[in-house]
Amino acid sequence: MNRAILEALVAARDKGLSVVLATRLDTGEEHLIDVRAAPKTAIGEAARVAATRDKSAPVEIDGAPWFLNVFNSPPTLYIVGAVHIAQPLSQMAALAGFEVTVIDPRTAFATNERFPQLHLITAWPDEALADLPMDHRTAVVTLTHDPKLDDPALIAALRSDAFYVGALGSKKTHAARIERLKAAGFDDAAIERIHGPVGLNIGAVSPAEIPVSILGQIVERMRKPDAA
Amino acid sequence: MITDHDKVLETAKDWLAQGHQVALATVTKTWGSAPRPAGSQLAVRADQTFIGSVSGGCVEGAVIAEAVDTIADGKPRKLSFGVSNDQAWSVGLACGGQIDIYVERID
């Protein structure tokens, strides 16, 4: 390994960037790839896939043996709506290793008393998300039931590489949401990225059980992106 | 994160800055119930000081010895470890897994 590459890798990790170190095992040739700016080459594409799966793996490219070592930034969860469910969801997600931000312009909801030691943003979701990094390590969940707050967040999420997009609400609420997003120009493939009604169907009822089902679904999407 | 890289690379960088020679061992492939996933790393100095892990302690001794040889001759090595058996001196994984490890000197 080249010492300059090691130093660049450590510096990238310090900055919170997601990078992949590609090493050709028969020659020692190596490339450090920034996932957000991965080149449109076979190695760049393989690195992007490995990073999305958060899985280091050997791959064969043009008949040569490579190893792709993934150094991802921690996963990020943006929760839109500082509602009751957001309290246990933010705590559980932080325990699971997510960097959590709660977004709600309603200052009565988004208070430090209700969300101690958490990154809170009291701005409109589309403005807040425009300033936050969104990539293959990002999950977005909307919890307000209010189209004025949820829809702009969902639109921002669908325009990003977010690996998970979820929206709380009944089937009826979700059907109405789909119609609005279609009217806003999103096609079926984009809309299918939204998990709604949100969460795994575990019969969750209480304000703590519902986050269990949501977080379970987020982890499933992160770890088994290919599963139906 | 499943692949917890700890501070292995940061430590390797510090060791180099202090004038040590360092080799890096990386798990490149696993089969079965291997204890550490692909991407797990171990950094080793010529004096056998090491940080990180490539298994649950099962093969680290052998990897460190190979790493010291790699520091000496600069040649990368590909190692494979499989199921341990009763043969004297053999090194293996009691869990029944199998792992490939790539060892290289940092130059």
Side-chain angles (χ1 to χ4, degrees):
Chain A
M1 186 186 202
N2 185 294
R3 187 167 167 179
I5 294 236
L6 171 70
E7 286 172 359
L9 177 46
V10 170
R13 270 154 59 84
D14 275 349
K15 280 191 248 170
L17 296 175
S18 294
V19 292
V20 173
L21 176 63
T23 304
R24 188 169 159 167
L25 296 176
D26 56 350
T27 63
E29 179 185 346
E30 53 196 1
H31 302 281
L32 187 63
I33 297 162
D34 180 341
V35 176
R36 279 192 227 170
K40 304 277 179 209
T41 59
I43 292 173
E45 181 57 21
R48 205 186 54 71
V49 170
T52 301
R53 293 180 181 165
D54 193 28
K55 200 169 178 187
S56 302
V59 290
E60 195 176 290
I61 296 168
D62 296 333
W66 290 81
F67 180 68
L68 303 176
N69 206 350
V70 176
F71 296 84
N72 265 328
S73 56
T76 307
L77 172 62
Y78 300 135
I79 301 173
V80 175
V83 298
H84 194 172
I85 289 169
Q87 292 175 297
L89 176 58
S90 59
Q91 292 174 324
M92 290 176 193
L95 279 175
F98 285 78
E99 291 188 347
V100 182
T101 297
V102 174
I103 301 162
D104 199 322
R106 301 168 298 180
T107 49
F109 284 85
T111 65
N112 285 318
E113 285 72 32
R114 302 181 68 227
F115 295 91
Q117 293 156 3
L118 195 80
H119 187 210
L120 272 176
I121 299 180
T122 48
W124 284 88
D126 47 345
E127 292 169 10
L129 291 173
D131 292 336
L132 293 168
M134 296 181 84
D135 61 17
H136 66 290
R137 298 288 282 163
T138 303
V140 179
V141 178
T142 62
L143 301 176
T144 72
H145 299 96
D146 181 346
K148 285 198 307 297
L149 293 167
D150 285 355
D151 285 9
L154 293 171
I155 287 169
L158 292 179
R159 286 180 180 150
S160 77
D161 285 337
F163 74 88
Y164 180 89
V165 185
L168 188 72
S170 65
K171 283 181 182 164
K172 195 178 160 196
T173 307
H174 192 58
R177 178 182 294 131
I178 288 172
E179 290 312 312
R180 291 194 304 275
L181 290 171
K182 279 187 177 165
F186 288 96
D187 62 14
D188 289 347
I191 285 166
E192 277 171 18
R193 286 175 62 198
I194 304 172
H195 295 274
V198 75
L200 300 175
N201 185 4
I202 57 172
V205 174
S206 78
E209 290 168 3
I210 291 165
V212 170
S213 85
I214 296 172
L215 190 57
Q217 190 170 49
I218 293 172
V219 171
E220 183 183 50
R221 286 296 95 201
M222 182 167 72
R223 296 300 179 198
K224 295 165 66 182
D226 301 328
Chain B
M1 277 188 281
I2 282 182
T3 311
D4 182 0
H5 295 282
D6 306 316
K7 291 286 175 189
V8 174
L9 296 175
E10 284 77 0
T11 304
K13 184 186 159 211
D14 290 344
W15 285 345
L16 289 163
Q18 292 160 12
H20 291 283
Q21 285 197 297
V22 181
L24 191 64
T26 305
V27 177
T28 56
K29 195 168 183 183
T30 69
W31 297 261
S33 55
R36 298 289 322 269
S40 303
Q41 293 184 310
L42 175 78
V44 185
R45 301 195 320 214
D47 64 5
Q48 302 198 8
T49 301
F50 71 96
I51 184 168
S53 69
V54 290
S55 73
C58 318
V59 303
E60 270 75 1
V63 172
I64 289 163
E66 295 282 347
V68 169
D69 290 349
T70 303
I71 288 173
D73 67 17
K75 289 180 189 149
R77 286 161 167 73
K78 282 179 260 185
L79 314 175
S80 289
F81 296 96
V83 186
S84 59
N85 57 34
D86 294 335
Q87 286 178 315
W89 316 117
S90 74
V91 179
L93 297 166
C95 53
Q98 190 182 338
I99 55 178
D100 281 356
I101 295 174
Y102 182 69
V103 187
E104 60 191 321
R105 188 170 75 184
I106 305 174
D107 290 312

